[in-house]
Amino acid sequence: KRLITNRSYYLHLNDSRSPNGNGIMIINSIELRQWADGALETIDVSSLANDSITSSFGADSLYWPADTRKSMALSSATYLKSALKVARSLANQICHAKNNEDGSSNGECSRLLQLPAPGSDWAGRITVHLSSNPIDVYDGDLQPLPFSHDNPRSDPRELQDILNSLIPDESLFAIEDNVLDGASSCDSEQNGVSFHNVARAEILPFPNNDLNSSIVDEMPFIYSLGIVFYELFSGGEKHPAIHPQINSCRRARNESNRFKGDAGEPMSQNGHAHEPNPHGNGCAFDMAGKLSILDKIGDIGDLFDKMEDEDPCDDFDMKFRNKKKGPQTRSTMMRSVSVEPLKLKGLPMRLCDLISNMIDCVNGDLSGDEAYRNMSDVCSDLQLMLDRPGRFLHDLDLDNLSLTGLQLNEALFDRGMDFSTLQNSYRRSISGANECAIIVGPSGIGKSVLANRLGTYIRSSGGLFLSGKFDQLPSAKPFSALASAFNDYCNKMSKEGRLSHLQIVASKLRIALGGEALHLVKVIPNLSIILGDLASGPDKDQDCVDAQKRLQYLLCQFVGVISSCSGAPVTLFLDDLQWADPASISAINQILLMSESSYGKRQFFFLGSSREEGMIDHAVGDMVSSICHFGVHVNIVKLVCMDEEMTNTMVSDLLCLSPRLTRTLSEIIFHKTKGNPLFFSRLMVSLCKDSLVRLSLSRRRWEWDEEKIQSRKLPDDVAAFLTSSIERLPQEVQMALSTLSCFGHATNTTLVKALEGECGSKLIEPLEIAVAEGFLDKVNGTYSFGHDRLQEAAYNMIPPEDRCVLHFKYGDALVPRSLELQDDGLLFTAASQINRGGPAALEDAEQAVVFANLNLTVGRKAMEMSDFSAAYSFFDNGISFLRKNHWREHYDLSLQLFESASNCAVVLGDITSLKLLSDQICTFAKSLEDKLNAMYNTVSALAYGSQLPESVDKCIIALSQLGEKLPDSYSEADTKVYIAQTQDMLKGFTTDQELIEHKEMDEPNKIMAMKFYARLEISFHMTKVEAQPIVTMKIVQLSITQGMSPVSPLGFTFFGMLLARLGDIREGCRYVRIGRKLLDGMGSKEVAGEGIAIGTQIM
């Protein structure tokens, strides 16, 4: 552990901190005052000079005044860091001794460290150990051991001989001959060891120090160490008021021993005789420090001769070494001193305060509130200064802070364990694990902050972090959060991506999306920039009943391509899942369940956030259960409010003050906020604005009025507090925030300017004030509330009875602008605002038809984007705007709204709504043709809902109304007759290609009849197999006589299956192939699944 010598040793390290990998480090030791002189001499003050210095004294630092050079060196970052390492090590040594003694029952620990008496000259008993490499050696690596002072200058070879006799492994103590031949370690850089490579500092044991047999009262030791720190950070200067007895005695002794020390030893460089130093000037340490055999050697001092006697003429020191001289009071041993000389040298104010608070503790009950009470606080504060000098050491930028006030940084709310959980989940996911994570917690707890912190980490490591946010007041634009995330990705890729990489991704997207790309482009407009002309093709199959699943498939393909071909892991973060629409939840569910991409290894990670209630009574909980069932591991990271200790850490970090100084303030803050991070941050800003927390120019730090803060009345709820904060803003700013809150969490400037122009009220200027006050953020031309609760608070300031009128007013004002700009996003927003106002807000009955038509238009656009939930909402709102007698006065508009709504109800599986809508259509429709679509939707919905008998009955009724009769009974003989008739009709086609290219059906009623037949065939396939062949023959025969329809492929496929079942395998395969080719050419996606499934059985 410690080898006692006065020379330099090469040490063999046994751990990974060996800097060169060869396990060797040089350790030198030097007395504290010599170290300070040497460290200051090595500082290049010329690099620290400013214009004022060079203009006054010139560019050459050699000609600067000595005091100027020294002050600049003392305040340099290099010296401060090195000196703080020394200070921390000394404080830790005392803490270690105190902790060991507190845990000892036999008093043995008091021999671990015999400190000098309080009030004596500690600086002369301190040694600084330097390493050959700039690495930190922690106090746990070098623990002090008992040893004797009898022979501190013993030959190191003698020690090695003894150790080698006990420990055979000579490699542990390899001594280099050229070092033993004797070089002093007092040079500025001895053996390559820099004065600033501080490994450790320690207070040398004080011989026969019975006064300090135990550490009971820490105050004297804190005071004495404070005096050492004063000398350390002043560059070796002592305050005139400190120990005049020591100063006078030593001056006399030094004068009489100018050329020799007390024992005939050479004088040190500073003119003092060498104090007995068991380490000499070059001490070696085994950095591994795990030689348990030394613990059995006993007192190492027995290995050496008796030490030289201490100088008896130091009367002041002898007072503290002999209890018989009588007890000494603090007033005679220790005095308070001012740290003003340190401030004049330009040292940081907080370092001066630390030293002052250490010295001030000597005054006992008269000490100031900030005086230290225990050494552990000193250790903690020194560690903070070393770890984070920008916040806890250097002076604050008062000029900037006086203008900006408190600056809350998201990094303040550190959640280390939660962040590590997300990091590990991310790493596993992009490495191939089927895993995702969801952050859960109450409002204001910091879910978004934690997610964005992970985003910063992902971006810094080369990954892509895509983010979207669901809104409590949604814009009603389909898939808004998903679309926003992917749209931003496409835009960024088109602008910043390499052309070659962009072409690769575009090529693979074209292959994956095929002819369906247009449907995805409607949701992600910027995708057209990547795909180019391919995205502008005609839209096929407008009547796709399963369009929502199609879009989910396309989204999965899109994510699969970008996550495997983008060259970086892709993370998708969706905030506020508790407000997600069902269509988005379903799409997310499919994305998480998708298998590995066929384009390579998928590197994809999903991260979500949700309030706790969203995991209980919302589709988010169902989604989590679903994906877990299919083997996706979901990490639920649950956040809780800060406890009192964490709150104090936040206050300390925010005010750049030691936690011990902010504890009383943080207790008040915690009591008022209950540890809610949002409440905490807004309250701290509010206290700063009210000057209850303010900057002190004289002390260059923050200060506060605890009594006024304690007495301040605050709402118990964060929402009420935020409302009260908004109410303190100017009236026009309040109005602007309330207006903005009607549009949700975020609003772009295009909408704000359009609203400002149409409504004739100022918005931009007041909103800029709100940005300056911290209520809004403005990024890339978009205003967004700093938190959802701020948006809620601003919205709640609008009286409930006025909200409908305002929503309607804003929507009505935006409609002309959206049509002029042909901006679908703005049109969706306008329609949503009008619908929130509702028919009750109408001032003119004639407007009802206008807004019903608007909802029809917007709903159809939503259907094109395959968001049938949003589309149904628009159609339903359009119906609500219709007045009495609308079937008579506005028949076409009514029919279109009810038909479109019924189409959406089928996709959504809403059987109840579908029946109501269909009944209305069948009751008021003027013709059979107007009823057919509603009737077909009812039949389909019943089939999807597994109500097959009822579906079959309604299907047969519809076919009879279309003139299509089915037999009352079905026999095998009837089936053979129908097959023979069909085969005779097919003989009219000489080749298969002629049949495939047969004309298309154009009569509407026959097309609808074919759709009913197809639905009936699928139902019969599961319920009434004996009747199915008749339906198959009907489809094939109508296709021959009337032309091919989108469901004809299903009929030919079933016809092939029937022939194969009857034994004609060759003909069966032939008609299945015809069915597949027809499906590829014109087939409906509605029957594609059944056609492929049946055809595969035959092929």
Side-chain angles (χ1 to χ4, degrees), residues 33 250 253-254 257 261 266-275:
R33 294 187 177 104
R250 293 203 170 156
R253 183 174 62 187
N254 291 339
N257 296 296
M267 300 297 295
S268 64
Q269 290 181 354
N270 60 4
H272 296 293
H274 284 295
E275 295 282 344

Side-chain angles (χ1 to χ4, degrees), residues 339-390:
V339 295
E340 287 302 318
L342 296 181
K343 297 178 183 178
L344 295 175
K345 294 179 181 295
L347 292 177
M349 186 68 70
R350 279 174 282 187
L351 179 58
C352 296
D353 288 344
L354 178 141
I355 297 171
S356 176
N357 292 336
M358 293 178 71
I359 296 174
D360 190 35
C361 73
V362 73
N363 294 320
D365 294 338
L366 300 178
S367 301
D369 293 337
E370 296 183 359
Y372 284 99
R373 297 291 183 266
N374 56 74
M375 189 63 75
S376 61
D377 283 343
V378 178
C379 295
S380 298
D381 290 354
L382 289 170
Q383 192 65 53
L384 283 174
M385 290 182 175
L386 269 172
D387 293 342
R388 305 180 65 190

Side-chain angles (χ1 to χ4, degrees), residues 19-147:
N20 328 349
N22 58 9
I24 295 180
M25 177 185 291
I26 304 173
I27 297 292
N28 285 347
S29 299
I30 188 170
E31 191 263 345
L32 177 65
R33 294 187 177 104
Q34 294 177 342
W35 174 84
D37 291 340
L40 289 172
E41 285 296 325
T42 61
I43 301 295
D44 180 15
V45 294
S46 61
S47 62
L48 307 174
N50 53 32
D51 294 339
S52 176
I53 295 293
T54 54
S55 62
S56 300
F57 306 112
D60 193 345
S61 60
L62 294 177
Y63 297 99
W64 296 352
D67 289 345
T68 300
R69 293 200 307 271
K70 186 171 185 180
S71 294
M72 293 178 65
L74 285 171
S75 60
S76 67
T78 302
Y79 182 77
L80 286 175
K81 181 178 179 181
S82 301
L84 282 170
K85 285 184 178 181
V86 172
R88 177 195 63 183
S89 187
L90 296 175
N92 285 344
Q93 187 181 9
I94 298 177
C95 283
H96 176 78
K98 173 64 177 174
N99 293 338
N100 276 279
E101 184 157 314
D102 288 344
S104 174
S105 59
N106 54 17
E108 291 183 1
C109 289
S110 63
R111 297 199 301 269
L112 269 174
L113 182 64
Q114 294 177 305
L115 296 174
S120 61
D121 182 19
W122 282 34
R125 306 294 307 176
I126 294 175
T127 296
V128 179
H129 306 297
L130 308 176
S131 67
S132 58
N133 293 278
I135 66 169
D136 285 335
V137 179
Y138 298 98
D139 294 320
D141 297 322
L142 297 173
Q143 298 296 343
L145 288 176
F147 60 88

